[in-house]
């Protein structure tokens, strides 16, 4: 039987080799990729976050855990697809200026891609003006902003404001997300939507462009 707790433990222990073996074994045992992701990997990252906060894990270890998780997400990628393919709409996604977290953002990008969208993943630490330039360049219909720090949430508002000031606001739908972000924050800063996870983000993006 597949033990998703063992996966969580391996991630927290930054044991990449064991984690990779466990993920491959779970897939071979037909455990759904979404279950591996949510109950094994994301559950592990939550514990990593708690330990980081309590000072029991330090940045280099957190980075190792993040890299181990990113490797497993690559393995899961083909199985996380959303077969309800929709649109070839151009979508921009990036982590806002000042914020370097990208695991969740990359998961959202992956789900959007597998929903048939043309995804332009701008990366991390993206200033508002770069989002504006890229909207024009990539003729984007949707812009997805990610932030994991309470201190970078205001940068989401600055990015929305920059899009408004550029005169492009009517051409794009803006989605926001990341662990500290909420629906009420999205409403407050004038975004079009919020989603708590990658699957809901992709469904929401599709509903907004269809
Ligand atoms: C891994 C990690 C790091 C890694 C990041 C590596 C990487 N490549 O991403 C490193 C070590 C670099 C790091 C650094 C820091 N971190 Co950090 N980090 C984390 C940790 C443990 C996990 C984040 C993660 O990947 N989660 C898993 C993914 C899958 O979840 P997610 O990102 O939430 O994404 C999901 C949803 O939110 C949503 N989503 C995400 N983006 C979007 C976008 C849209 C549009 C939508 C719709 C949805 C959506 O879908 C995703 C998939 O389901 C969190 C703790 C936690 N539990 O969140 C702390 C955490 C976010 N970090 C924290 C801190 C404090 C820092 C540092 C300031 C530490 C320091 N002293 O230097 C630095 C900041 C660096 C910077 N400028 O960004 C704090 C933030 C506290 C706060 N109140 O703001 C946290 C909460 C840890 C803690 N409990 O203290 N961190």
């Amino acid at each position: 039987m597949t033990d998703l707790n063992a996966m969580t433990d391996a991630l927290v222990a930054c044991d990449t080799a064991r984690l990779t073996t466990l993920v491959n074994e779970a897939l071979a045992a037909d455990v759904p990729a979404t279950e591996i992701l949510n109950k094994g990997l994301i559950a592990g990252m939550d514990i990593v976050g708690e330990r980081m906060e309590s000072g029991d894990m330090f940045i280099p270890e957190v980075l190792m855990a993040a890299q181990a998780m990113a490797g497993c997400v690559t393995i899961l990628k083909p199985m996380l697809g959303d077969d309800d393919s929709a649109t070839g709409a151009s979508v921009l996604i990036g982590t806002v200026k000042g914020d370097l977290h990208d695991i969740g953002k990359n998961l959202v990008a992956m789900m959007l891609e597998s929903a048939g969208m043309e995804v332009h993943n701008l990366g991390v630490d993206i200033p508002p003006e770069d989002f504006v330039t890229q909207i024009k360049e990539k003729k984007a219909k949707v812009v997805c902003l990610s932030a994991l720090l309470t201190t970078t949430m205001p940068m989401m508002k600055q990015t929305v404001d920059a899009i408004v000031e550029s005169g492009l606001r009517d051409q794009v739908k803006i989605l926001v997300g990341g662990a500290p972000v909420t629906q009420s924050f999205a409403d407050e800063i004038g975004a079009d939507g919020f989603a708590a996870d990658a699957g809901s983000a992709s469904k929401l993006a599709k509903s907004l462009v269809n």
Side-chain angles (χ1 to χ4, degrees), residues 56-175:
D56 294 325
M57 257 177 113
F58 298 102
I59 300 291
E61 296 164 288
V62 178
L63 257 180
M64 276 170 69
Q67 279 161 5
M69 167 141 182
C72 291
V73 166
T74 310
I75 299 174
L76 297 178
K77 185 174 177 181
M79 277 71 78
L80 288 171
D82 175 350
D83 53 13
D84 180 19
S85 281
T87 130
S90 170
V91 181
L92 296 185
I93 184 163
T95 304
V96 297
K97 186 176 171 188
D99 201 318
L100 302 175
H101 295 85
D102 68 357
I103 298 174
K105 183 258 302 167
N106 289 341
L107 272 171
V108 174
M110 207 184 314
M111 292 303 281
L112 291 169
E113 250 171 42
S114 54
M117 303 201 190
E118 182 192 312
V119 178
H120 304 280
N121 191 339
L122 305 183
V124 297
D125 193 22
I126 306 300
E129 56 275 21
D130 285 12
F131 280 104
V132 169
T133 311
Q134 290 298 318
I135 291 170
K136 291 182 203 149
E137 211 160 281
K138 304 290 184 326
K139 298 186 173 48
K141 295 263 183 297
V142 180
V143 179
C144 295
L145 307 178
S146 184
L148 264 285
L149 299 171
T150 46
T151 49
T152 53
M153 286 168 69
M155 190 51 69
M156 288 183 145
K157 169 148 174 46
Q158 289 187 41
T159 306
V160 173
D161 290 349
I163 296 171
V164 171
E165 280 155 28
S166 71
L168 296 166
R169 183 66 183 94
D170 292 343
Q171 297 173 33
V172 288
K173 299 291 182 188
I174 304 175
L175 302 189

Side-chain angles (χ1 to χ4, degrees), residues 23-44:
V23 168
N24 282 320
E25 279 174 7
L27 285 173
D30 287 332
V31 178
T34 46
E35 203 169 317
I36 297 173
L37 181 67
N38 293 325
K39 297 191 182 158
L41 304 179
I42 293 183

